[in-house]
Amino acid sequence: MRTVRGRTDHVVVVGAGLSGLSAALYLLGSGRRVTVVERDATPGGRAGRRALGGYRIDTGPTVLTMPQMADEAFAAVGERLADRVDLIPLHPAYRACFADGSALDVHTDAAAMEAEVERFAGAREAAGYRRLRAWLKRLYAVQMRRFIDVNFDSPLGLLTPDLARLAALGGFGRLDARIARFLTDERLRRVFTFQSLYAGVAPARALAAYAVIAYMDTVAGVYFPRGGMHALPRAMAAAAAAAGAELRFGHDVTHLERPGNRVTAVRTTHERIPCDAVVLTPDLPVAHRLLGRRPRRPVPLRYAPSAVVLHVGTTRTWPHLAHHTLSFGAAWQRTFEELTRTGCLMTDPSLLITRPTAGDPGLAPEGRHLHYVLAPCPNTEVGMPATSWAGLAPRYRDSLLATLERRGMTGIASAIEEECLVTPADWTEQGHAAGTPFSAAHTFAQTGPFRPRNLVRGVDNVVLAGCGTTPGVGVPTVLISGRLAAARITGSPSPCRRPTRAAAVRGEDR
């Protein structure tokens, strides 16, 4: 594994999001002096917090899987996730609602899910689910430590015995076709393939290897931190501070001093910070601007679809909603064509509806409820430019509410007390390429050693972390990216581990 050469005593981490805080904890655990600089007033980055009329809104991810990845970061400084964050296991992990009026609760417990699948689609599908679950577990075991949690120096790093094992499992086939080998019910197949959307590829074109995301969602368990998802970066920042990190909030980085091939100082709006190495976690366009260069690639990066997110604080809720509800439209293949190829808004939307007050009523005023509605949409390279959203946003908001009304959230418009609509224009303003919070798509040419690497060619002491670099998009993977970035500086590829982690924290199979 290639590492940063020369002195690395003092590391500046740019960005206090999940990847930056993860990197900071691992660096602190290795004895480095760490300064974290963050443009916002609080930690979190994408996993931020907005207060709106007594409602506390998570501005980023709402689904937490694989919490052991966070626990390992805490362990690097001798702490435990469980001592700083109260995690609530979600049962069911999701509720899937379909256009034909049917509904399925997605359980991570094997027996409970098998019984639910049999109720929903019959004994044959339940038997298929058993085989699928076993396959997902094998797929995860092969991929995690060889293909996801690893620093690649070249594509030759793929040439391990696990590559043959992954091929034997069908990992290089197509996701939709592979899941169809286990499940014939089209509704069930959606539950185990919709995750590819966040990787930026339609299930019919995604590698079957990306079913590992379905493993995280449907086998390992889904959790919710009391206090909202923002509780996780808050806790990580507190642990970093307790371990000696200097945290500078409200400090926007303006440029990097680089007289030669090494950065010697980070300049912010407030000060100059001399350093020996830098971890850059902003999205790729911002990182490239700070570096003063863009890496050369044979073909330009392709970006994942974006999303419109409607946050609403309401006077009521609706009984059919679980903590996370997948509301599928009748269209499926057409939806992915619209999102990734034609650039049209979904004509028959599939939505993720999250009700965080189901797990923590304290996120809203007493007797009130918080709902988060995520509607995938084309990014600004495939679809309309960011500037078009100013006029479209109010109409699209009304269209979303009309869809929710038709799908059982009767009276939602009149129940809204507070609201916030986030569109690709907002993601663009925050510095996200192509107006998407999901960064570069996980096509084959942008996966593993082919994804933008965390070492920067021509700059000897800068390492990248975050969803735009290896291993990719998602809470578990950005936490891993922080560890991989730290390993490039410390030369230690293995995380701190305690073999006696509780099953609830490990996310082990039950």
PDB file of all heavy atoms in Angstrom, residues 167-184:
ATOM      1  N   ALA A 167     -16.609 -13.830  -8.707  1.00  0.00           N
ATOM      2  CA  ALA A 167     -17.101 -14.234 -10.030  1.00  0.00           C
ATOM      3  C   ALA A 167     -17.967 -15.484  -9.924  1.00  0.00           C
ATOM      4  O   ALA A 167     -19.023 -15.590 -10.574  1.00  0.00           O
ATOM      5  CB  ALA A 167     -15.930 -14.470 -10.973  1.00  0.00           C
ATOM      6  N   ALA A 168     -17.547 -16.432  -9.094  1.00  0.00           N
ATOM      7  CA  ALA A 168     -18.324 -17.666  -8.926  1.00  0.00           C
ATOM      8  C   ALA A 168     -19.686 -17.394  -8.312  1.00  0.00           C
ATOM      9  O   ALA A 168     -20.663 -18.108  -8.586  1.00  0.00           O
ATOM     10  CB  ALA A 168     -17.543 -18.652  -8.070  1.00  0.00           C
ATOM     11  N   LEU A 169     -19.778 -16.351  -7.493  1.00  0.00           N
ATOM     12  CA  LEU A 169     -21.058 -15.967  -6.897  1.00  0.00           C
ATOM     13  C   LEU A 169     -21.937 -15.177  -7.872  1.00  0.00           C
ATOM     14  O   LEU A 169     -23.067 -14.823  -7.527  1.00  0.00           O
ATOM     15  CB  LEU A 169     -20.819 -15.130  -5.636  1.00  0.00           C
ATOM     16  CG  LEU A 169     -20.329 -15.891  -4.404  1.00  0.00           C
ATOM     17  CD1 LEU A 169     -19.875 -14.912  -3.320  1.00  0.00           C
ATOM     18  CD2 LEU A 169     -21.434 -16.799  -3.868  1.00  0.00           C
ATOM     19  N   GLY A 170     -21.422 -14.877  -9.049  1.00  0.00           N
ATOM     20  CA  GLY A 170     -22.196 -14.110 -10.036  1.00  0.00           C
ATOM     21  C   GLY A 170     -22.103 -12.620  -9.838  1.00  0.00           C
ATOM     22  O   GLY A 170     -22.929 -11.871 -10.366  1.00  0.00           O
ATOM     23  N   GLY A 171     -21.078 -12.156  -9.126  1.00  0.00           N
ATOM     24  CA  GLY A 171     -20.974 -10.735  -8.823  1.00  0.00           C
ATOM     25  C   GLY A 171     -20.759  -9.845 -10.018  1.00  0.00           C
ATOM     26  O   GLY A 171     -21.011  -8.646  -9.947  1.00  0.00           O
ATOM     27  N   PHE A 172     -20.307 -10.405 -11.144  1.00  0.00           N
ATOM     28  CA  PHE A 172     -20.062  -9.590 -12.329  1.00  0.00           C
ATOM     29  C   PHE A 172     -21.197  -9.702 -13.347  1.00  0.00           C
ATOM     30  O   PHE A 172     -21.095  -9.175 -14.457  1.00  0.00           O
ATOM     31  CB  PHE A 172     -18.716  -9.955 -12.958  1.00  0.00           C
ATOM     32  CG  PHE A 172     -17.563  -9.665 -12.043  1.00  0.00           C
ATOM     33  CD1 PHE A 172     -16.868 -10.694 -11.432  1.00  0.00           C
ATOM     34  CD2 PHE A 172     -17.205  -8.359 -11.749  1.00  0.00           C
ATOM     35  CE1 PHE A 172     -15.814 -10.438 -10.571  1.00  0.00           C
ATOM     36  CE2 PHE A 172     -16.161  -8.081 -10.888  1.00  0.00           C
ATOM     37  CZ  PHE A 172     -15.468  -9.117 -10.290  1.00  0.00           C
ATOM     38  N   GLY A 173     -22.261 -10.379 -12.956  1.00  0.00           N
ATOM     39  CA  GLY A 173     -23.476 -10.363 -13.767  1.00  0.00           C
ATOM     40  C   GLY A 173     -24.293  -9.119 -13.464  1.00  0.00           C
ATOM     41  O   GLY A 173     -23.820  -8.182 -12.817  1.00  0.00           O
ATOM     42  N   ARG A 174     -25.538  -9.089 -13.906  1.00  0.00           N
ATOM     43  CA  ARG A 174     -26.399  -7.935 -13.686  1.00  0.00           C
ATOM     44  C   ARG A 174     -27.266  -8.169 -12.450  1.00  0.00           C
ATOM     45  O   ARG A 174     -27.758  -9.279 -12.202  1.00  0.00           O
ATOM     46  CB  ARG A 174     -27.280  -7.675 -14.915  1.00  0.00           C
ATOM     47  CG  ARG A 174     -26.477  -7.287 -16.148  1.00  0.00           C
ATOM     48  CD  ARG A 174     -25.594  -6.072 -15.890  1.00  0.00           C
ATOM     49  NE  ARG A 174     -24.715  -5.766 -17.011  1.00  0.00           N
ATOM     50  CZ  ARG A 174     -23.701  -4.905 -16.949  1.00  0.00           C
ATOM     51  NH1 ARG A 174     -23.440  -4.271 -15.816  1.00  0.00           N
ATOM     52  NH2 ARG A 174     -22.940  -4.690 -18.004  1.00  0.00           N
ATOM     53  N   LEU A 175     -27.445  -7.099 -11.689  1.00  0.00           N
ATOM     54  CA  LEU A 175     -28.139  -7.200 -10.404  1.00  0.00           C
ATOM     55  C   LEU A 175     -29.557  -7.724 -10.557  1.00  0.00           C
ATOM     56  O   LEU A 175     -29.963  -8.662  -9.858  1.00  0.00           O
ATOM     57  CB  LEU A 175     -28.154  -5.815  -9.734  1.00  0.00           C
ATOM     58  CG  LEU A 175     -28.916  -5.710  -8.414  1.00  0.00           C
ATOM     59  CD1 LEU A 175     -28.311  -6.616  -7.356  1.00  0.00           C
ATOM     60  CD2 LEU A 175     -28.929  -4.260  -7.933  1.00  0.00           C
ATOM     61  N   ASP A 176     -30.320  -7.145 -11.452  1.00  0.00           N
ATOM     62  CA  ASP A 176     -31.721  -7.529 -11.596  1.00  0.00           C
ATOM     63  C   ASP A 176     -31.845  -9.004 -11.985  1.00  0.00           C
ATOM     64  O   ASP A 176     -32.665  -9.749 -11.432  1.00  0.00           O
ATOM     65  CB  ASP A 176     -32.393  -6.640 -12.650  1.00  0.00           C
ATOM     66  CG  ASP A 176     -33.897  -6.609 -12.496  1.00  0.00           C
ATOM     67  OD1 ASP A 176     -34.381  -6.666 -11.357  1.00  0.00           O
ATOM     68  OD2 ASP A 176     -34.595  -6.545 -13.527  1.00  0.00           O
ATOM     69  N   ALA A 177     -31.007  -9.443 -12.924  1.00  0.00           N
ATOM     70  CA  ALA A 177     -31.056 -10.836 -13.372  1.00  0.00           C
ATOM     71  C   ALA A 177     -30.654 -11.788 -12.252  1.00  0.00           C
ATOM     72  O   ALA A 177     -31.219 -12.878 -12.112  1.00  0.00           O
ATOM     73  CB  ALA A 177     -30.153 -11.022 -14.585  1.00  0.00           C
ATOM     74  N   ARG A 178     -29.676 -11.405 -11.457  1.00  0.00           N
ATOM     75  CA  ARG A 178     -29.225 -12.280 -10.377  1.00  0.00           C
ATOM     76  C   ARG A 178     -30.294 -12.418  -9.299  1.00  0.00           C
ATOM     77  O   ARG A 178     -30.581 -13.526  -8.834  1.00  0.00           O
ATOM     78  CB  ARG A 178     -27.929 -11.726  -9.783  1.00  0.00           C
ATOM     79  CG  ARG A 178     -27.385 -12.489  -8.591  1.00  0.00           C
ATOM     80  CD  ARG A 178     -27.125 -13.954  -8.847  1.00  0.00           C
ATOM     81  NE  ARG A 178     -26.225 -14.203  -9.970  1.00  0.00           N
ATOM     82  CZ  ARG A 178     -25.719 -15.391 -10.268  1.00  0.00           C
ATOM     83  NH1 ARG A 178     -26.032 -16.448  -9.527  1.00  0.00           N
ATOM     84  NH2 ARG A 178     -24.931 -15.543 -11.308  1.00  0.00           N
ATOM     85  N   ILE A 179     -30.942 -11.304  -8.921  1.00  0.00           N
ATOM     86  CA  ILE A 179     -32.001 -11.383  -7.912  1.00  0.00           C
ATOM     87  C   ILE A 179     -33.178 -12.196  -8.442  1.00  0.00           C
ATOM     88  O   ILE A 179     -33.842 -12.930  -7.702  1.00  0.00           O
ATOM     89  CB  ILE A 179     -32.455  -9.967  -7.495  1.00  0.00           C
ATOM     90  CG1 ILE A 179     -31.291  -9.192  -6.864  1.00  0.00           C
ATOM     91  CG2 ILE A 179     -33.621 -10.036  -6.516  1.00  0.00           C
ATOM     92  CD1 ILE A 179     -30.714  -9.805  -5.613  1.00  0.00           C
ATOM     93  N   ALA A 180     -33.429 -12.107  -9.753  1.00  0.00           N
ATOM     94  CA  ALA A 180     -34.530 -12.870 -10.357  1.00  0.00           C
ATOM     95  C   ALA A 180     -34.298 -14.372 -10.285  1.00  0.00           C
ATOM     96  O   ALA A 180     -35.246 -15.154 -10.421  1.00  0.00           O
ATOM     97  CB  ALA A 180     -34.722 -12.437 -11.809  1.00  0.00           C
ATOM     98  N   ARG A 181     -33.063 -14.796 -10.067  1.00  0.00           N
ATOM     99  CA  ARG A 181     -32.803 -16.225  -9.903  1.00  0.00           C
ATOM    100  C   ARG A 181     -33.384 -16.746  -8.585  1.00  0.00           C
ATOM    101  O   ARG A 181     -33.616 -17.946  -8.447  1.00  0.00           O
ATOM    102  CB  ARG A 181     -31.303 -16.497  -9.933  1.00  0.00           C
ATOM    103  CG  ARG A 181     -30.655 -16.261 -11.283  1.00  0.00           C
ATOM    104  CD  ARG A 181     -29.253 -16.823 -11.289  1.00  0.00           C
ATOM    105  NE  ARG A 181     -28.641 -16.686 -12.615  1.00  0.00           N
ATOM    106  CZ  ARG A 181     -27.564 -17.350 -12.979  1.00  0.00           C
ATOM    107  NH1 ARG A 181     -26.979 -18.187 -12.123  1.00  0.00           N
ATOM    108  NH2 ARG A 181     -27.048 -17.181 -14.172  1.00  0.00           N
ATOM    109  N   PHE A 182     -33.591 -15.839  -7.647  1.00  0.00           N
ATOM    110  CA  PHE A 182     -34.114 -16.240  -6.346  1.00  0.00           C
ATOM    111  C   PHE A 182     -35.598 -15.903  -6.189  1.00  0.00           C
ATOM    112  O   PHE A 182     -36.340 -16.635  -5.535  1.00  0.00           O
ATOM    113  CB  PHE A 182     -33.326 -15.537  -5.226  1.00  0.00           C
ATOM    114  CG  PHE A 182     -31.853 -15.812  -5.251  1.00  0.00           C
ATOM    115  CD1 PHE A 182     -30.958 -14.883  -5.776  1.00  0.00           C
ATOM    116  CD2 PHE A 182     -31.346 -17.003  -4.756  1.00  0.00           C
ATOM    117  CE1 PHE A 182     -29.598 -15.129  -5.789  1.00  0.00           C
ATOM    118  CE2 PHE A 182     -29.981 -17.260  -4.766  1.00  0.00           C
ATOM    119  CZ  PHE A 182     -29.104 -16.318  -5.285  1.00  0.00           C
ATOM    120  N   LEU A 183     -36.023 -14.773  -6.763  1.00  0.00           N
ATOM    121  CA  LEU A 183     -37.375 -14.267  -6.559  1.00  0.00           C
ATOM    122  C   LEU A 183     -38.047 -14.035  -7.902  1.00  0.00           C
ATOM    123  O   LEU A 183     -37.477 -13.362  -8.778  1.00  0.00           O
ATOM    124  CB  LEU A 183     -37.343 -12.954  -5.766  1.00  0.00           C
ATOM    125  CG  LEU A 183     -36.658 -13.004  -4.391  1.00  0.00           C
ATOM    126  CD1 LEU A 183     -36.493 -11.593  -3.843  1.00  0.00           C
ATOM    127  CD2 LEU A 183     -37.457 -13.870  -3.420  1.00  0.00           C
ATOM    128  N   THR A 184     -39.245 -14.558  -8.068  1.00  0.00           N
ATOM    129  CA  THR A 184     -39.979 -14.323  -9.310  1.00  0.00           C
ATOM    130  C   THR A 184     -40.962 -13.172  -9.183  1.00  0.00           C
ATOM    131  O   THR A 184     -41.346 -12.575 -10.184  1.00  0.00           O
ATOM    132  CB  THR A 184     -40.744 -15.595  -9.729  1.00  0.00           C
ATOM    133  OG1 THR A 184     -41.680 -15.948  -8.694  1.00  0.00           O
ATOM    134  CG2 THR A 184     -39.782 -16.751  -9.957  1.00  0.00           C
TER     135      THR A 184
END
